[in-house]
Amino acid sequence: MGVTPTSDEAWMRYAIRLAQRAEQKGEVPVGALIVKNDTCIAEGWNASITRHDPSAHAEIIALREAGKVLGNYRLVNTTLYVTLEPCVMCMGALSQARIKRLVFGAFDPKRGAVCSVLGLADTGFLNHRIQWEGGILASECSTLLKDFFRARR
């Protein structure tokens, strides 16, 4: 942490480095970080296998850390960067946390809950709307995941 890039691409490169940490530990390579006032306040990478915790997705780990840093479960005026389109669980948590903006890399055509399979970012039944942008460095993020799964087969 302590890095202060100023563009979505620079922050996504940071998230890719976090995803590579997950991969080094045998986890699905997804990385996430939370930015407030142009400063990274929290980061995470997938750790479901090593923590024996199905909820230990990169986004959830970053949300938990950011809550501790801010001393609040509401993470208003923050942006979450993540290398893969969030799943249903993570989108629910992002909404509960009141994340202002979400930026993700690769689209997830099988489980993506922002826009690919479900449109939770724009649904009417959640009382919080998250601004979002997908596809930032999508090729790099997607290649990281494809290479990981190819090596496991």
Side-chain angles (χ1 to χ4, degrees):
M1 290 188 302
V3 177
T4 56
T6 57
S7 73
D8 287 345
E9 281 193 12
W11 285 119
M12 191 59 67
R13 289 192 193 291
Y14 187 143
I16 289 169
R17 289 193 301 274
L18 297 172
Q20 290 166 334
R21 289 187 192 176
E23 184 175 31
Q24 291 166 357
K25 297 179 182 298
E27 299 277 356
V28 176
V30 176
L33 59 112
I34 297 177
V35 172
K36 184 173 177 94
N37 299 326
D38 297 322
T39 301
C40 177
I41 62 166
E43 60 186 36
W45 52 87
N46 275 3
S48 294
I49 297 167
T50 54
R51 291 187 182 190
H52 311 288
D53 179 356
S55 70
H57 289 196
E59 300 96 321
I60 301 296
I61 292 168
L63 288 171
R64 289 175 178 157
E65 184 177 319
K68 290 176 185 171
V69 168
L70 296 178
N72 197 331
Y73 73 106
R74 303 285 182 167
L75 308 177
V76 296
N77 297 319
T78 59
T79 299
L80 185 135
Y81 291 87
V82 62
T83 56
L84 180 64
E85 180 181 356
C87 70
V88 172
M89 174 184 68
C90 292
M91 279 304 293
L94 294 174
S95 177
Q96 292 297 317
R98 302 301 193 261
I99 293 288
K100 181 177 183 176
R101 185 167 175 254
L102 164 67
V103 179
F104 64 88
F107 290 87
D108 186 345
K110 292 182 181 178
R111 287 170 290 285
V114 176
C115 61
S116 292
V117 177
L118 293 173
L120 294 183
D122 300 316
T123 188
F125 71 84
L126 293 175
N127 64 346
H128 175 68
R129 294 278 191 287
I130 299 171
Q131 300 167 23
W132 65 274
E133 185 171 352
I136 304 299
L137 300 181
S139 179
E140 291 93 326
C141 294
S142 181
T143 297
L144 189 62
L145 288 157
K146 287 177 184 173
D147 290 349
F148 174 80
F149 287 113
R150 189 176 300 121
R152 296 199 86 153
R153 288 189 195 113

